[in-house]
């Protein structure tokens, strides 16, 4: 079982997620540069947070054209787990792997906080280790996390149970229906604004992110057994 | 032969533009109460060489696939032939 952390110019949470998966969870993990064109040998792809390509044009808009992205799209289409947090979420949306878009925060402020989140679905490859109807605490840090989609897409998200995380307290960015994280229709691509990789040790205030990565590991064990 | 292309990308009318609202509020502080609405967008100046591909198709493709995010934004453009 091997995780790939894709690094783009301007990624700055790549080491956080590498540490979370490698050191805390004890899984095999590699950094994979955006220059690469293959993801052969990997079981999970992680797109880290940060400011890829300086957020030029729109967040994630340039990263979508990186050399590695055709391989990421192929990986996703094959039904394998792809997870993007923060800027990684923005890249997945720009790449068309997830529906909708992220706008600048409604209050025009960068938000940096730890906030409560509802885990809305626990039957997914990303949340199976959480109890049903759990509320968890995860850090957020973003300027463009205001999720938007049209009504038709929203209806589909609800019908297919693709809304995985919602903000439980005050909505920090104006996102539609308090949406914090969604999956694609097949359920193998998840994007979210909060950072589970920054909630891995008591020392840092929360360990609620551990079950997130545990869920992916559970899923892979089930698939490979 | 070249084309000088100007592209304007703005939020769709249905999308709120909080930056535009913040600028409008600042304008009101300048006592221009008559300013009712401000929308902020992006402006691109692009030089494109003439090829067999129709220029409108080239510009449409650039706008749709990169310059604008069609979920949130709309675009318009002017194309001018230059030497």
């Amino acid at each position: 079982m091997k995780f790939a952390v894709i690094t783009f110019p301007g990624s700055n949470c790549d080491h956080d997620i590498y540490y979370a998966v490698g050191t805390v969870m004890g899984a095999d993990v590699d950094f994979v540069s955006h220059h690469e064109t293959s993801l052969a040998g990997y079981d999970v792809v992680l797109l880290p947070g940060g400011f890829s390509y300086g957020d030029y044009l729109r967040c994630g808009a340039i990263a979508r054209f990186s050399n590695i992205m055709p391989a990421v799209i192929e990986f996703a289409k094959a039904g394998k787990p792809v997870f993007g947090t923060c800027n990684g979420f923005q890249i997945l949306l720009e790449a068309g792997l997830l529906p909708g878009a992220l706008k600048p925060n409604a209050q025009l402020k960068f938000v940096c906080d730890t906030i409560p989140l509802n885990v809305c679905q626990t039957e997914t490859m990303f949340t199976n280790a959480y109890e049903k109807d759990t509320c968890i605490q995860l850090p957020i840090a973003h300027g463009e996390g205001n999720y938007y989609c049209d009504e038709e897409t929203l209806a589909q998200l609800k019908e297919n149970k693709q809304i995985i995380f919602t903000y439980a307290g005050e909505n920090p960015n104006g996102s539609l229906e308090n949406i914090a994280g969604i999956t694609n229709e097949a359920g193998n691509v998840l994007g979210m604004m909060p950072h589970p990789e920054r909630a891995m040790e008591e020392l840092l205030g929360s360990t609620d992110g551990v079950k997130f990565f545990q869920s992916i590991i559970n899923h892979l064990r089930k698939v490979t057994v | 032969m070249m084309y000088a292309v100007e592209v304007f990308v703005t939020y769709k009318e249905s999308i709120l533009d909080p930056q535009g609202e913040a600028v409008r509020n600042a304008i009101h502080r300048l006592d221009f109460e008559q300013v009712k609405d401000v929308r902020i967008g992006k402006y691109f100046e692009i030089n494109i060489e003439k090829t067999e591909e129709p220029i409108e198709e080239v510009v449409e493709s650039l706008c749709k696939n990169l310059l604008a995010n069609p979920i949130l934004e709309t675009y318009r453009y002017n194309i001018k032939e230059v030497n």
Side-chain angles (χ1 to χ4, degrees):
Chain A
M1 180 186 311
K2 205 164 190 186
F3 288 70
V5 175
I6 313 288
T7 57
F8 299 97
S11 294
N12 68 2
C13 304
D14 43 343
H15 284 266
D16 305 41
I17 204 162
Y18 182 94
Y19 175 84
V21 171
T23 305
V24 182
M25 303 308 296
D28 276 345
V29 57
D30 286 337
F31 287 121
V32 175
S33 159
H34 63 101
H35 291 300
E36 301 290 332
T37 54
S38 166
L39 288 163
Y42 293 102
D43 303 293
V44 185
V45 167
L46 306 172
L47 302 187
F51 301 85
S52 60
Y53 297 89
D55 280 350
Y56 291 172
L57 189 60
R58 294 179 306 276
C59 302
I62 311 286
R64 157 159 94 89
F65 293 96
S66 301
N67 287 340
I68 193 66
M69 284 311 287
V72 173
I73 290 167
E74 194 187 329
F75 194 91
K77 297 249 147 99
K80 297 177 191 172
V82 176
F83 168 58
T85 171
C86 206
N87 190 225
F89 185 16
Q90 293 161 342
I91 295 167
L92 291 173
L93 291 161
E94 283 284 342
L97 288 173
L98 291 172
L102 290 159
K103 297 191 294 170
N105 295 348
Q107 75 283 33
L108 295 177
K109 276 197 288 197
F110 190 96
V111 288
C112 185
D113 206 350
T114 295
I115 45 95
L117 278 178
N118 296 313
V119 183
C120 308
Q121 303 294 336
T122 52
E123 312 266 300
T124 80
M125 60 176 84
F126 303 98
T127 53
N128 58 62
Y130 290 106
E131 302 281 319
K132 266 202 167 145
D133 304 319
T134 313
C135 185
I136 60 174
Q137 298 277 332
L138 292 183
I140 50 169
H142 60 254
E144 307 212 358
N146 181 355
Y147 182 78
Y148 170 82
C149 65
D150 60 28
E151 280 178 24
E152 194 184 331
T153 308
L154 181 65
Q156 279 169 2
L157 289 177
K158 286 181 178 172
E159 194 182 322
N160 299 326
K161 301 185 175 170
Q162 290 169 247
I163 301 170
I164 310 301
F165 296 104
T166 56
Y167 299 110
E170 201 185 328
N171 185 327
N173 52 32
S175 74
L176 188 67
E177 305 246 338
N178 299 315
I179 287 173
I182 57 167
T183 62
N184 63 344
E185 200 178 340
N188 67 303
V189 178
L190 177 117
M192 67 196 285
M193 291 316 296
H195 289 274
E197 80 281 11
R198 294 191 194 168
M200 301 297 289
E201 290 170 316
E202 230 23 280
L203 184 65
L204 294 178
S206 167
T207 54
D208 286 350
V210 172
K211 285 186 176 171
F212 180 85
F213 295 100
Q214 189 58 53
S215 297
I216 302 175
I217 292 169
N218 292 348
H219 168 76
L220 288 174
R221 285 202 180 123
K222 227 169 33 189
V223 170
T224 49
V225 163
Chain B
M1 177 71 83
M2 296 280 289
Y3 295 104
V5 179
E6 297 177 312
V7 177
F8 303 86
V9 175
T10 51
Y11 279 131
K12 288 178 182 171
E13 258 182 58
S14 56
I15 304 286
L16 286 177
D17 176 12
Q19 268 196 77
E21 283 177 20
V23 170
R24 184 199 56 203
N25 294 343
I27 288 173
H28 288 174
R29 302 233 164 179
L30 288 173
D31 289 332
F32 290 100
E33 288 293 329
Q34 67 270 45
V35 174
K36 293 301 175 201
D37 198 21
V38 178
R39 310 272 291 171
I40 296 183
K42 295 179 185 133
Y43 168 62
F44 304 81
E45 292 174 344
I46 310 171
N47 293 319
I48 304 177
E49 259 179 24
K50 191 169 188 172
T51 61
E52 282 180 9
E53 216 178 336
I55 184 68
E56 283 80 12
E57 282 179 26
V58 173
V59 175
E60 274 289 331
S61 175
L62 290 180
C63 290
K64 242 186 283 181
N65 294 311
L66 178 61
L67 302 184
N69 180 336
I71 295 167
L72 300 173
E73 295 168 325
T74 177
Y75 54 84
R76 61 195 163 81
Y77 46 80
N78 301 317
I79 298 171
K80 202 167 71 183
E81 275 189 27
V82 290
N83 287 311

